[in-house]
């Protein structure tokens, strides 16, 4: 059981790192500084960024639960 949770923790941590690195930045230069506030205020996200944000949330939850589970077993 401990090994399965540890494998799940490693996979979720690598997936979390990958999804965070694949997301586009909040500000992309000077144009991002001007339009970035409006996009974050109105919640504009496009296709792949929205999908990666959902994957990040799911992987963060899996990481949290697996790390808590591993701590409970020790």
């Amino acid at each position: 059981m401990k090994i399965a949770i540890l494998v799940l923790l490693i996979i979720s941590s690598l997936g979390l790192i990958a999804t965070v690195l694949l997301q586009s930045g909040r500000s992309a230069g000077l144009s991002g500084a001007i339009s970035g506030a409006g996009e974050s205020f109105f919640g504009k996200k496009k296709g792949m960024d929205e999908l990666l944000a959902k994957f990040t949330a799911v992987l963060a939850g899996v990481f949290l639960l697996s790390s808590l589970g591993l701590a409970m077993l020790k």
Side-chain angles (χ1 to χ4, degrees):
M1 184 70 173
K2 197 182 222 184
I3 294 173
I5 293 176
L6 186 62
V7 168
L8 184 64
L9 181 68
I10 291 170
I11 290 172
S12 65
S13 65
L14 291 175
L16 190 59
I17 291 169
T19 56
V20 167
L21 289 176
L22 286 173
Q23 290 180 10
S24 63
R26 296 254 181 211
S27 63
L30 184 59
S31 64
I34 297 169
S35 66
E39 286 181 8
S40 65
F41 182 71
F42 293 113
K44 283 175 129 182
K45 286 189 179 177
K46 305 252 181 187
M48 193 60 144
D49 283 339
E50 187 175 329
L51 182 67
L52 285 173
K54 287 180 184 178
F55 278 149
T56 302
V58 169
L59 286 172
V62 170
F63 179 80
L64 177 72
L65 292 176
S66 61
S67 62
L68 285 174
L70 191 63
M72 298 279 267
L73 288 177
K74 284 193 173 188

